[in-house]
Amino acid sequence: MSPLITTAVAATREAIAQAKGRGLRVGFVPTMGALHEGHASLIRAARAECGFVVVSIFVNPAQFGPTEDLARYPRPFEKDVMLCANEGVALVFHPNPTVIYPPGYKTVVEVRELQEVLCGASRPGHFGGVATVVLKLFNIVQPDLAYFGQKDAQQARLLEQMVLDLNLPVTMRICPIIREEDGLALSSRNVYLSAEERKHATVLYRALEEMRQRVASGERSAAALVRIAADLVAGTPGARLDYASIVDWQTLRPLDVLSGQVLVALAVYFGATRLIDNVLLEVKD
Ligand code: AMP
């Protein structure tokens, strides 16, 4: 069945209030559209736990820098609605930017420290835009559960912190990264890659796998692991390292020696296209 499509806040709230009135649990999957199997996996996780699944499709201007790809970000809305219909989504919220940021809009959310490192260092203002829109979407949808991908690990960690700090009545679910057969993490931005770049883009996964194996065989030096990743990227045609970082999963602060829950994160440019990937490791001392 086709999902209900809403563009206004009031109509969205009304449909969700009705579902809650029928005793249904509301699951929410926020997206920027151009939906793929990664998004579908979040929708399936939501469907498994919730009787009423809401997907938002909103390319959020506030999380793009001035030189980033806001204008050319893919927006295949009809195809997205078909995927939502096939996955049993009840409601697609598809607002215009002026619905979310009307003239005179002033408020932003900051998650201090967590927003400044990793991708936040390369993309100033990005996570303020993310946290602000997700808080607004939570207030509009008022979900019982919300589903995010480990693909955007820093985003997931920062939003969990926001939910905790602001006492938001929503349960966060972080779902595993969905990959192509050759290991490339699915991303709406993969369509920007040329055939040649696409071939070499597996370097992120290969580097993460190499680092994971080194840790499994006893390597605990962050510098040694980062060097392995940097060398692999440097040896890949067309690839340019943005960062390779090994951080504590709670604080996102860099580690010298790996211990506890450790996030190994990579960002690599192919031309103007920036790809990210990561692996979360449980490191025994
Ligand atoms: P986006 O549309 O890129 O803003 O992503 C919407 C949600 O889908 C975010 O929670 C992402 O982390 C998640 N997501 C994107 N790609 C993947 C993937 N390959 N595997 C799992 N989740 C993903």
Side-chain angles (χ1 to χ4, degrees), residues 6-9 12 54-57 91-95 99-100 137 140:
T6 57
T7 54
V9 172
T12 308
V54 180
V55 169
S56 62
I57 297 180
L91 191 157
V92 172
F93 178 44
H94 182 51
V99 168
I100 300 296
L137 291 168
I140 294 165

Side-chain angles (χ1 to χ4, degrees), residues 47 56 103 110 119 143 159 163 202 226 230 232 234 252 281:
R47 286 270 287 147
S56 62
E110 276 187 47
C119 290
L159 292 174
V163 164
T202 54
V226 164
L232 274 170
L252 302 184
L281 302 176

Side-chain angles (χ1 to χ4, degrees), residues 30-33 36 38-39 41-42 73 147-149 151-152 155 176-178 185-186:
T31 81
M32 299 207 300
H36 50 63
H39 300 107
S41 74
L42 303 185
Y73 197 85
Y147 298 80
F148 294 88
K151 161 77 180 9
D152 298 275
Q155 165 176 288
I177 301 176
I178 305 299
L186 295 191

Side-chain angles (χ1 to χ4, degrees), residues 211-220:
M211 289 190 278
R212 195 180 58 75
Q213 281 169 23
R214 296 289 176 111
V215 174
S217 41
E219 181 63 78
R220 294 291 180 268

Side-chain angles (χ1 to χ4, degrees), residues 69-275:
D69 55 340
L70 173 63
R72 69 173 187 139
Y73 197 85
R75 291 166 171 85
F77 182 65
E78 253 135 58
K79 201 166 149 240
D80 288 348
V81 171
M82 260 163 57
L83 183 146
C84 289
N86 289 336
E87 296 297 339
V89 171
L91 191 157
V92 172
F93 178 44
H94 182 51
N96 278 322
T98 49
V99 168
I100 300 296
Y101 306 111
Y105 186 87
K106 298 273 186 259
T107 306
V108 294
V109 180
E110 276 187 47
V111 185
R112 289 186 298 225
E113 294 174 19
L114 299 185
Q115 71 183 3
E116 277 137 34
V117 295
L118 303 173
C119 290
S122 319
R123 305 182 69 190
H126 169 70
F127 287 112
V130 170
T132 301
V133 83
V134 171
L135 179 60
K136 282 182 65 85
L137 291 168
F138 280 1
N139 282 330
I140 294 165
V141 173
Q142 301 189 12
D144 297 295
L145 295 102
Y147 298 80
F148 294 88
Q150 179 67 26
K151 161 77 180 9
D152 298 275
Q154 183 176 12
Q155 165 176 288
R157 173 69 196 91
L158 175 140
L159 292 174
E160 276 190 338
Q161 190 67 44
M162 176 182 81
V163 164
L164 184 72
D165 290 349
L166 300 182
N167 308 96
L168 302 180
V170 54
T171 300
M172 299 286 279
R173 295 272 194 252
I174 311 303
C175 304
I177 301 176
I178 305 299
R179 302 176 175 283
E180 302 279 8
E181 255 175 43
D182 63 4
L184 177 67
L186 295 191
S187 163
S188 306
R189 289 189 165 101
N190 291 350
V191 297
Y192 298 153
L193 299 170
S194 69
E196 193 64 14
E197 289 170 337
R198 169 64 189 83
K199 204 171 74 196
H200 294 304
T202 54
V203 70
L204 285 92
Y205 181 66
R206 285 185 281 117
L208 290 170
E209 270 300 292
E210 181 65 31
M211 289 190 278
R212 195 180 58 75
Q213 281 169 23
R214 296 289 176 111
V215 174
S217 41
E219 181 63 78
R220 294 291 180 268
S221 156
L225 293 163
V226 164
R227 202 168 318 119
I228 290 166
D231 287 349
L232 274 170
V233 173
T236 302
R240 181 167 62 83
L241 187 68
D242 180 11
Y243 67 76
S245 296
I246 299 187
V247 300
D248 177 84
W249 173 235
Q250 286 306 304
T251 64
L252 302 184
R253 289 210 195 103
L255 292 168
D256 293 331
V257 178
L258 278 69
S259 154
Q261 270 199 306
V262 171
L263 178 70
V264 182
L266 274 182
V268 176
Y269 280 103
F270 285 88
T273 306
R274 188 171 170 281
L275 302 180

